[in-house]
Amino acid sequence: MPSQPNMRTSGSLRVAVVGAGIVGLSTALEIRARGAEVAVYDSGVELGAGATMRAAGMLGAAFDWALEADQRAMAALARHAGMLWPDFAARIERLAGAGLEFSKEGALVVARSEEEASWLGTLAAACQARNLPVQRLSADEVRRADPALSGNLVGGLMLPEDRQVDAQIALQRLGAALSRSGVGLRLGRKVERIVGGQVFLMPDGEKFDRVVLATGAGALPAFVGPRGAPLEHGLVATVPVKGQILALAPVDGGPRHVTHTRDVYIAPKSRWVLIGATSERGRADTTVDPDKIAALRARASEIAPSLANAPEVTAWAGIRPGTPDDAPMIGQTAIPGVFAALGHYRNGVLFAPATAELVADQVIDGKVSPLAAAFDPLRFDKLSEAPHSPAQEN
């Protein structure tokens, strides 16, 4: 790992976080909790310009990762993050003085055919192999768990540790928690260029000892030395992945659990029911396609008929930041003192507290855990001394 530009105690360390999505804010909160002075920079004039405000907020460690046999490090990160979320949510609520709609009810996965029932069996076995809690349900048991699921079902699973949060509310609460913790939120300040050296000079003239990049799908700032020579951070550009989501008004007798099929999810919140999501790799536009939105509603209504006529509140498209292997980039870059918290694709909300912990370990203590090493930001560089993919980790 590149050496640090200077070594200070955490109490005197100044850290700039570039990016005010849930990963950036969570990382700032953790670094501040370890004693450093922290400021968050973002080009948006208010919180919520990026992917977090367009996320469904599902925390699906089991559903999203149990079946990914070749992504063991990702599954480990997801499980670790899922275990952190209850205390993380409580901490934010305590600091912000308000709730963030963190639900502990678990998620349902349902099958509508014998073929899908076979897939459920595979998912259940994968969960058991990874010590993830899972409960098999008959069709009648699914309906008892959530009477809104009255469509043509043949069975289901309950995943007790797959939870959800309202991502938009969580982001606002994080902002309040940071302000009350003494973190400076420097919104409306676009960071296009940072001058590096023994310290890092930001465009507003402030100086910092460390920089954390958490720009999501946004462009990374350029780094230059004191005399203007370019500094190479060694990071690959994130890959845009467009996702479209439909928001319906809550209805009497509507779903009360996060519910998945193989091709759609339903995420009921207090203010709306979210249905998603498309996954359009390489698309960076935020245009909403009415046909794709209609298809999402139709698939959700097959298992929850009450949603067929629920009033539409809104629909949106967000851009998820992917990477070549769809695993995040977490840790030291090629520039000493600059760290990445990037490329979380569709799991930014889930991974946020774990990424915050792993980045803070490196920024404050210079500690790289085996889990963090799996997400080395320089793994895509063929000239790196020890390139590797998280898919190869045990």
Side-chain angles (χ1 to χ4, degrees), residues 98-117:
L100 46 71
E101 291 198 19
F102 173 65
S103 171
K104 303 176 183 178
E105 290 187 347
L108 293 168
V109 189
V110 300
R112 298 158 293 182
S113 67
E114 292 305 320
E115 179 184 358
E116 290 186 353

Side-chain angles (χ1 to χ4, degrees), residues 236-317:
V236 299
T238 57
V239 179
V241 185
K242 179 180 177 179
Q244 299 186 52
I245 292 178
L246 169 64
L248 300 177
V251 294
D252 290 340
R256 60 178 186 235
H257 286 87
V258 169
T259 303
H260 300 271
T261 71
R262 293 187 76 171
D263 56 12
V264 73
Y265 63 72
I266 301 168
K269 319 287 185 182
S270 64
R271 54 184 173 146
W272 51 29
V273 179
L274 300 183
I275 301 173
T278 67
S279 183
E280 303 164 56
R281 195 173 185 84
R283 293 280 302 275
D285 66 281
T286 55
T287 304
V288 174
D289 184 333
D291 291 338
K292 290 182 177 178
I293 294 298
L296 288 173
R297 183 197 281 261
R299 289 197 290 269
S301 299
E302 289 178 6
I303 59 169
S306 63
L307 298 180
N309 297 312
E312 179 175 331
V313 177
T314 187
W316 64 76

Side-chain angles (χ1 to χ4, degrees), residues 19 64 87 132 134 138 151 177 191 243 322 349 358 377:
D64 284 338
D87 287 344
L132 292 164
V134 59
S138 68
V191 179
V349 178
L358 297 177

